[in-house]
Structures are given as C-alpha cells and as structure tokens.
C-alpha cells in the first residue's frame, strides 16, 4: 500500500483538515447582504448586530420591556436593551448571542463591556467599502448571493440608477411576493411571465428563490401551482436558471414580535421528489427548516441528481444541528451537497457564522476521514482540498453554471 504523502497519523490528519477547512474561500449561497453602495441596505455595526431578529426574539424572553415599547425605541436604544439583557445580565451562550462575541473578539473589542461605547466608536470609524473588504477577508468569503426582491421599491430604485454592483455580490431573484399570495394579484399569467423575464434580463440572477410554508405540496391545486408551472418553471428552463426552495417557514406566528415572530413546521419531502421527477432538466437547490425533514432530504437527493441539499437554515444554524446534519449528509451523499450558507443580514455576521460553521464541518470531515483510514484507505492532502473546494464552492458553481443537467447552453439553443 502507498503511504508516502498520505495522512496516516491522526493528529496530522486533524491538523490538516482544520487548516484546509479554515483557509478555503467559500461562496455564501444565500444571504440578505448588499454591497456598500446600496445606500441604506448594507447593514453593519454593533447596533444592527444586536437588533438582529434572532436576538430580539431571545431578548423578549427575559427583558421587562414589552414589544410594543421596544419597537417605538430608536435602534441604539433597542441595541442597549438587547446588550444589557443578553450580554450583561446573563451569559451570551445562545448561538446568535455567542456570534456577537465572536465578532467583537475578531476586532479586538471588549467582549465583557458593560455598555456599547467602544464598539459603537469602532464601527463608526470604519470606511464602509474597506470594512466590507476586511470582513469578507476575515470570514474567507469570496462571494455572497444576495436576496433581491423584484417587487421591492427601494431596491428597484437602486437598480434603475445604473449602479454597477460589486462583483462579489451575486443576484438571486426572490419570488416570495409572487408565489406566496393566494391569487394572481390582478395580473394575467402572461403578464407575470413577462415581468419575470424582464427582471431576469435586468438583474442577471444566479438563481430564482422562494421560501415556502410547511404545507407546500406539488402538484397543488392552488395559485402557486399555476404560477410555478406556467411562469417560474418555464422561465427556469428557458433562462437555464436553478431554483432555490427554502421550505418549512410559518410566518407571523407571533405578529407582536414583528420579523422575529416567524416559526417553522415539518414539511412533506415527497413534494420535492415529485417536482424533481417532473422537471429533470431543472436544477433545484433545496433546504428544509425542520430538523425532522433533514434525513428524508438526504434520501430524496440520492434519488434525484437535479436536487442539491444546501445549508442548515435559521433555527438549524446551531452547532449541534450543523454537526448532526453535516454528518448525515456526508454519510448519505459523500461530497454532493452544500453544507452551509450564512443567511447573514448584517455584514459582520459573516465572521461568526462561517467561523462557527467551519468548526463543525471540520470536525465532521475529520471523523469521516478517520473512519476511512480505519477501514483501510488513507487520504492525501490534495484529496482533502478537493473535497472542501467542492463543498465550499464547486457544487454551487456547477448548479448555477448556465448549463442544464447533461446539456450545455449552446446545445440547448
Ligand atoms: O434566516 C433569516 O434571517 C430569516 O429571517 C429569513 O430571512 C429566511 O432566511 C429567508 O430567507 O426567508
Ligand atoms: Zn434568508
């Protein structure tokens, strides 16, 4: 057996996996970030970090400030409430709270501060374009996919002002406002199709995406089914665009909490199997919000090569869940999945979300290589680099390359 150059020592193997996972640049396939010159839409700094809806939901559990009063406060006052509640009066052990600690620490700021003076002064002193570069560099994020809503006025104004977007920020066309309404909203099917085609031609998205409730079904007997069949899926075929489905969100379970008031539910994975079977030439990126759907998603992906599982979404983006889900994906799918996306809304969240995810991914990968070693196959350093490159960008690039499964764009025209 060849052993020269192979990682047969487990301490060396572990060290090598960590180096590769921590240093490989990642493409972040779903975020809510915007470039620096998207006036007002590029959120950054300590007040935005602390008023993130993952954290306000947690703060409401412990603060005496009622939601209706909280929402009337200025953003700085809201951030002060969250800091005092979750970071001063208690230890920030939740994932979202620890994330803020990871960010402060990355910039050498006091993680035990009793107020936000130092942090505010630091973030206010930054030049935004340079800060964006610095954050992407620390997080080792080579590019992010934005969430672009073609029905949003503020965004449309920016696009119509002929802005040339930072090429590290790729467009995805978010279709919630088209697909999650109960009727056609006064437009015909062909008018919807025309609007979608025009948006695709203007924005050049890398995919079209939608978040869906747990009762999403396919086929369905609702307006969404008609719009999918007659508008979105034909557009995906014609423009060779992948479709991203994020399934299992129940919006506004507690409206008093505003954007922090959404919850989740277990969905039916067989709907995705039927969709993939009926549209074998369309590529689907799929994530489910419920832990209970994760194993079934892996099995569905084994059956359909046009199905790419991605990310540990929102309430699943906790170390214990990321560890479990990444391991079951490695066991059932090898390297043919996308382990994580950040869902960052505030720029600096890239730092913690990727640092924390990389830790779980490295641990899971190491264990899989150690098991392989024990079975009789040692791995080479370049094989680890190949795996990580595939997981962190290669699988996504393959999905959004303008090619159909098995057919190149030029052949299909
Ligand atoms: O994770 C989140 O921040 C959620 O609020 C949602 O935005 C979700 O990710 C989505 O894209 O719908
Ligand atoms: Zn999102």
């Amino acid at each position: 057996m060849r052993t020269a150059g192979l990682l047969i020592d487990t301490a060396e193997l572990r060290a090598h996996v960590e180096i590769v996972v921590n240093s490989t640049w990642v493409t972040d396939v779903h975020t809510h970030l915007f470039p620096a010159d998207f006036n007002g839409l590029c959120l950054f700094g300590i007040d935005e970090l602390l008023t993130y809806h993952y954290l306000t939901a947690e703060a409401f559990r412990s603060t005496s400030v009622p939601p209706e009063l909280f929402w009337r406060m200025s953003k700085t006052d809201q951030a002060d409430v969250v800091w005092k509640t979750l970071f001063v009066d208690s230890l920030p052990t939740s994932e979202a709270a620890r994330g803020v600690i990871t960010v402060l620490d990355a910039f050498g700021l006091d993680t035990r501060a009793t107020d936000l003076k130092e942090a505010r002064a630091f973030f206010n002193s930054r030049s935004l374009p340079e800060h964006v570069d610095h954050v992407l560099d620390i997080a080792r994020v080579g590019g992010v996919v934005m969430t672009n809503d073609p029905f949003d006025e503020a965004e449309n104004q920016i696009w119509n002002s002929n802005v040339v977007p930072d090429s590290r920020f790729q467009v995805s066309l978010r279709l919630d406002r088209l697909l999650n309404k109960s009727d056609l909203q006064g437009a015909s099917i062909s008018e919807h199709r025309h609007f979608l085609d025009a948006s695709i031609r203007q924005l050049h998205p890398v995919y079209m995406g939608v978040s869906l409730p747990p009762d999403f079904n396919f086929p369905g007997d609702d307006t969404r089914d008609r719009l999918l069949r007659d508008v979105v899926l034909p557009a995906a075929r014609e423009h060779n665009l992948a479709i991203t489905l994020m399934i299992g969100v129940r919006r506004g379970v507690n409206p008093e909490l505003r954007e922090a008031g959404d919850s989740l539910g277990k969905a039916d994975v067989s709907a995705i199997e039927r969709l993939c079977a009926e549209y074998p030439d369309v590529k689907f990126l799929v994530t489910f919000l419920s832990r209970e759907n994760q194993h079934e998603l892996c099995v569905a992906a084994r059956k359909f090569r046009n199905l790419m599982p991605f990310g540990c979404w929102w309430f699943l983006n906790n170390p214990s869940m990321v560890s479990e889900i990444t391991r079951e994906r490695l066991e059932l799918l090898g390297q043919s999945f996308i382990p994580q996306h950040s869902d960052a809304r505030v720029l600096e969240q890239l730092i913690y979300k990727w640092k924390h995810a990389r830790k779980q991914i490295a641990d899971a990968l190491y264990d899989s290589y150690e098991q392989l070693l024990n079975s009789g196959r040692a791995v080479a350093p370049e094989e680890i680099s190949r795996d990580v490159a595939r997981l962190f960008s290669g699988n996504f690039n393959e999905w959004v390359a303008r090619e159909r499964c098995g057919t190149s764009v030029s052949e299909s025209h």
Side-chain angles (χ1 to χ4, degrees):
M1 188 179 77
R2 172 176 89 103
T3 56
L6 298 179
L7 292 159
I8 47 178
D9 175 81
T10 50
E12 234 179 88
L13 174 62
R14 182 179 283 282
H16 193 82
V17 171
E18 279 171 14
I19 288 169
V20 175
V21 169
N22 289 333
S23 62
T24 301
W25 289 78
V26 73
T27 301
D28 196 337
V29 308
H30 170 65
T31 76
H32 299 264
L33 299 176
F34 290 93
D37 56 358
F38 272 49
N39 303 325
L41 295 181
C42 172
L43 305 183
F44 71 101
I46 191 64
D47 292 329
E48 297 293 351
L49 286 167
L50 288 170
T51 52
Y52 185 36
H53 67 88
Y54 290 30
L55 282 173
T56 52
E58 291 171 29
F60 284 133
R61 295 187 55 73
S62 304
T63 177
S64 57
V65 179
E68 67 277 11
L69 177 59
F70 183 86
W71 298 125
R72 284 205 301 271
M73 293 172 152
S74 67
K75 188 155 276 183
T76 48
D77 287 348
Q78 291 176 352
D80 284 336
V81 169
V82 175
W83 182 256
K84 178 163 181 345
T85 308
L86 298 178
F87 295 79
V88 179
D89 293 346
S90 51
L91 280 172
T93 51
S94 77
E95 170 62 13
R98 184 170 67 94
V100 176
I101 297 297
T102 301
V103 171
L104 294 176
D105 191 56
F107 291 112
L109 297 166
D110 182 4
T111 57
R112 297 186 60 90
T114 50
D115 63 41
L116 298 170
K117 272 196 211 94
E118 183 202 25
R120 282 194 182 119
F122 170 76
F123 288 108
N124 287 340
S125 73
R126 310 285 288 170
S127 124
L128 189 51
E130 282 165 28
H131 189 53
V132 170
D133 293 347
H134 191 199
V135 169
L136 291 176
D137 200 46
I138 297 173
R140 286 267 175 284
V141 170
V144 306
V145 180
M146 303 179 274
T147 297
N148 304 95
D149 182 352
F151 304 94
D152 185 271
E153 244 335 285
E155 264 194 74
N156 280 336
Q157 275 183 16
I158 294 173
W159 290 116
N160 292 332
S161 71
N162 290 326
V163 68
V164 183
D166 181 329
S167 62
R168 296 168 298 183
F169 290 71
Q170 294 184 298
V171 173
S172 77
L173 216 50
R174 182 69 175 237
L175 302 181
D176 283 37
R177 284 206 236 182
L178 173 68
L179 292 173
N180 288 332
K181 295 276 162 53
S182 55
D183 59 20
L184 288 176
Q185 302 163 72
S188 67
I189 286 288
S190 63
E191 283 165 339
H192 281 300
R193 178 63 204 271
H194 184 78
F195 177 78
L196 189 54
D197 284 340
S199 302
I200 292 170
R201 276 194 291 270
Q202 184 186 10
L203 302 185
H204 305 291
V206 287
Y207 62 71
M208 295 185 279
V210 64
S211 76
L212 294 163
D215 64 2
F216 169 68
N217 205 356
F218 189 87
D221 55 3
D222 48 10
T223 309
R224 182 192 291 126
D225 192 79
R226 244 192 108 190
L227 286 164
L228 273 176
R229 283 176 192 284
D230 297 340
V231 177
V232 177
L233 286 155
R237 274 185 168 148
E238 215 172 289
H239 298 273
N240 294 304
L241 273 178
I243 296 182
T244 292
L245 303 172
M246 309 176 68
I247 306 167
V249 55
R250 287 191 299 131
R251 301 279 178 198
V253 167
N254 186 352
E256 205 184 34
L257 303 191
R258 299 201 180 169
E259 71 270 24
D262 300 341
S263 188
L264 85 172
K266 184 176 182 311
D268 182 358
V269 176
S270 69
I272 295 305
E273 292 176 346
R274 289 186 290 275
L275 188 60
C276 289
E278 201 174 318
Y279 293 88
D281 54 341
V282 176
K283 288 177 175 168
F284 297 94
L285 289 141
V286 177
T287 198
F288 282 87
L289 193 49
S290 166
R291 177 193 188 184
E292 285 66 33
N293 285 131
Q294 302 307 318
H295 182 252
E296 284 175 66
L297 173 61
C298 290
V299 177
R302 293 172 66 90
K303 310 299 150 191
F304 296 96
R305 57 174 297 149
N306 57 332
L307 170 55
M308 179 69 78
F310 79 95
C312 302
W313 179 26
W314 197 346
F315 309 112
L316 295 169
N317 191 358
N318 300 305
S320 64
M321 295 288 107
V322 176
S323 172
E324 172 182 299
I325 295 166
T326 305
R327 286 160 196 271
E328 82 190 346
R329 287 174 177 168
L330 284 169
E331 287 167 354
L332 282 159
L333 299 171
Q335 297 80 35
S336 64
F337 67 96
I338 296 167
Q340 189 55 313
H341 66 276
S342 75
D343 235 310
R345 285 175 182 269
V346 183
L347 179 67
E348 300 88 356
Q349 289 170 343
L350 289 174
I351 295 173
Y352 92 79
K353 297 211 184 214
W354 281 109
K355 184 169 185 191
H356 296 191
R358 284 179 201 268
K359 162 88 176 97
Q360 299 311 321
I361 295 166
D363 287 353
L365 270 179
Y366 167 76
D367 285 347
S368 72
Y369 297 142
E370 193 204 24
Q371 284 164 1
L372 201 53
L373 181 64
N374 292 337
S375 293
R377 162 107 193 224
V379 301
E382 58 275 17
E383 291 172 324
I384 298 176
S385 299
R386 182 181 63 189
D387 279 3
V388 176
R390 201 174 157 196
L391 293 167
F392 280 8
S393 60
N395 288 333
F396 179 68
N397 290 337
E398 190 190 313
W399 233 240
V400 300
R402 297 301 190 78
E403 282 180 6
R404 294 179 184 168
C405 296
T407 340
S408 75
V409 176
S410 53
E411 280 165 353
S412 65
H413 279 267

